[in-house]
């Protein structure tokens, strides 16, 4: 069998040919971290029609190259089957589960604890495509962007802890209250989060009182001129740079904000699988 979760008898392994295809080293790191399908846990259903490796490669290709679903190359499984897989993993939180397992592995590989104690929060406004409805888009007057805003929390390695996509006119403090509550609930050891001056006000007291998290504001000095790298804030800026290298995230093309969040998680899985593959010992 090409994969324990797929029907390899009917659909064998495809030959890797694109830069986004997982190498054997990546697949060896990824395979044990995949969520177990419901049919293997006695919850009904049937095995996947296609090998998970082929489906994952198809989603990675779409995210990295920014193609339309219907433009999926013919050597991948049919686009509607790949989209059904993407939608199922999105709706059941499986992509986040998979992403979080990868993040824990990456942290342990570099000698860190699996769960972080500190993080950084920030937001990024991106233009929205015409398919994005008026109910989930807005105008960010500060950045002069008509679209959506990605609110993220990262650890001190720049790895994603949580993401929430909103209309671009949603304030950072309002979104941060919801996002930090989700992140603090998922990461109980989190005790310190750095932020910029846009997160001042009642949010600091709220985080300390209700979330047991210290929100430390890193401000830019009034006498600074030009570009200056600010402590800790550069970490989350680097994550935004990573995301913008995947063309599907250069602007927001998703009809649903949940799909936009899922695309961010998929983008980060590319980064982390490559890191894990580099850290695996080479076989003789």
């Amino acid at each position: 069998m090409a994969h324990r979760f797929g029907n390899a008898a009917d659909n064998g392994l495809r030959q890797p040919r694109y830069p986004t295809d997982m190498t054997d080293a990546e697949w060896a790191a990824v395979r044990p971290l995949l969520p177990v399908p419901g049919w293997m846990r006695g919850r009904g259903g049937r095995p996947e029609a296609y090998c998970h490796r082929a489906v994952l490669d198809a989603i990675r290709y779409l995210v990295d190259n920014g193609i339309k679903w219907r433009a999926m190359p013919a050597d991948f499984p049919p686009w509607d089957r790949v989209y059904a897989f993407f939608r199922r993993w999105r709706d059941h939180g499986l992509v986040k589960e998979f992403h979080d397992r990868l993040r824990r592995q990456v942290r342990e590989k570099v000698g860190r604890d699996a769960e972080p104690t500190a993080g950084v929060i920030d937001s990024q406004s991106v233009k929205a495509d015409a398919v994005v409805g008026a109910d989930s888009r807005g105008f960010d007057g500060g950045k002069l962007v008509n679209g959506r805003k990605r609110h993220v929390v990262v650890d001190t390695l720049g790895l994603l802890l949580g993401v929430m996509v909103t209309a671009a006119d949603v304030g950072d403090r309002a979104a941060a209250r919801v996002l930090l509550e989700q992140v603090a609930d998922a990461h109980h050891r989190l005790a310190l989060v750095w932020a910029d001056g846009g997160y001042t006000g009642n949010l600091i007291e709220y985080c300390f009182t209700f979330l047991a998290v210290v929100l430390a504001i890193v401000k830019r000095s009034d006498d600074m001129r030009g570009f200056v790298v600010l402590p800790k804030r550069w970490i989350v800026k680097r994550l935004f740079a990573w995301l913008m290298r995947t063309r599907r995230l250069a602007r927001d093309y998703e009809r649903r904000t949940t799909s936009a969040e899922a695309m961010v998680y998929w983008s980060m899985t590319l980064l982390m699988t490559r890191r894990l593959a580099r850290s695996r010992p080479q076989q003789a």
Side-chain angles (χ1 to χ4, degrees), residues 34-271:
L34 292 175
V36 179
W39 65 270
M40 293 190 67
R41 293 180 287 179
R43 293 167 51 188
R46 57 183 180 180
E48 301 281 355
Y50 295 91
C51 170
H52 275 195
R53 182 173 181 175
V55 178
L56 292 178
D57 280 342
I59 296 177
R60 288 159 61 100
Y61 181 90
L62 178 137
V63 173
D64 196 56
N65 293 281
I67 65 169
K68 299 177 181 179
W69 284 104
R70 293 178 182 270
M72 190 73 66
D75 59 319
F76 287 122
W79 76 267
D80 57 338
R81 293 299 85 208
V82 178
Y83 178 71
F85 182 96
F86 169 86
R87 183 180 58 206
R88 184 165 61 253
W89 275 40
R90 175 199 68 194
D91 295 344
H92 294 281
L94 297 179
V95 62
K96 185 178 185 303
E97 179 182 338
F98 175 50
H99 166 276
D100 290 351
R101 291 176 180 178
L102 285 171
R103 186 192 62 244
R104 287 192 287 268
Q105 288 282 320
V106 172
R107 288 182 58 86
E108 290 174 348
K109 287 290 184 181
V110 297
R112 301 291 186 91
D113 290 334
E115 288 298 323
T117 57
V120 191
I121 187 172
D122 204 351
S123 67
Q124 177 192 45
S125 295
V126 292
K127 293 181 179 179
D129 191 67
V131 300
V132 177
D135 59 331
S136 63
R137 69 189 298 157
F139 185 76
D140 182 347
K143 302 293 179 61
L144 301 180
V145 171
N146 186 341
R148 285 178 174 159
K149 187 180 289 186
R150 298 169 186 149
H151 308 268
V152 302
V153 179
V154 302
D155 65 10
T156 53
L157 296 178
L159 302 177
L160 188 66
L161 299 180
V163 58
M164 185 173 68
V165 175
T166 67
D169 56 357
V170 173
D172 287 348
R173 287 190 292 270
R177 178 172 294 209
V178 178
L179 179 59
L180 285 173
E181 184 176 349
Q182 296 173 355
V183 172
D185 185 60
H187 305 280
H188 298 293
R189 298 188 62 206
L190 190 68
L192 173 64
V193 174
W194 288 282
D196 62 26
Y199 295 88
T200 54
N202 295 333
L203 180 62
I204 298 177
E205 182 180 355
Y206 174 83
C207 290
F208 185 77
T209 304
F210 296 99
L211 306 181
V213 172
V214 175
L215 189 64
I217 305 300
V218 181
K219 292 185 177 181
R220 178 185 173 94
S221 175
D222 294 336
D223 58 357
M224 289 183 178
R225 295 292 184 270
F227 175 77
V228 178
V229 177
L230 296 177
K232 306 303 179 182
R233 281 173 53 180
W234 67 268
I235 298 174
V236 69
K237 300 299 184 184
R238 184 178 60 180
L239 175 125
F240 290 141
W242 286 338
L243 296 183
M244 297 302 280
R245 292 183 65 182
T246 49
R247 293 189 177 181
R248 187 80 182 195
L249 296 176
R251 65 170 56 201
D252 200 315
Y253 295 98
E254 314 310 320
R255 296 179 185 273
R256 299 184 180 185
T257 56
T258 52
S259 292
E261 293 166 0
M263 287 295 179
V264 173
Y265 283 120
W266 280 113
S267 176
M268 290 301 296
T269 64
L270 270 80
L271 174 73

